[in-house]
């Protein structure tokens, strides 16, 4: 996981990867994600997520 600070102290960008194993085939797959998190008054106020949909689709079809 990588955390990127931004010019706005209430916003961070995180890169992470989800890894799982297909229950039927036993094939392990991974997909990268990026999240943009915004806080307000010390609480999470927003989360926008960007996914590598082709990697997810490929993992589901193996």
């Amino acid at each position: 996981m990588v955390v990127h600070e931004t010019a706005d102290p209430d916003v961070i960008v995180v890169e992470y990867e989800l890894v799982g194993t297909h229950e039927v085939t036993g094939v392990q797959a991974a997909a990268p994600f990026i999240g943009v998190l915004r806080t307000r008054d010390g609480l999470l106020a927003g989360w926008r997520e960007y996914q590598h949909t082709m990697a997810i689709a490929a993992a589901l079809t193996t």
Side-chain angles (χ1 to χ4, degrees):
M1 182 170 76
V2 179
V3 176
H4 301 277
E5 293 184 21
T6 66
D8 183 340
D10 291 335
V11 175
I12 63 168
V13 175
V14 294
E15 297 178 52
Y16 58 99
E17 184 175 69
L18 294 180
V19 178
T21 303
H22 194 286
E23 291 184 1
V24 175
T25 65
V27 174
Q28 188 176 35
F33 289 74
I34 292 179
V36 180
L37 289 71
R38 176 175 294 282
T39 62
R40 186 174 299 118
D41 299 323
L43 300 173
L44 185 61
W47 177 297
R48 183 166 290 193
E49 187 171 78
Y50 300 91
Q51 309 165 2
H52 187 323
T53 55
M54 296 301 289
I56 295 168
L60 294 174
T61 59
T62 58

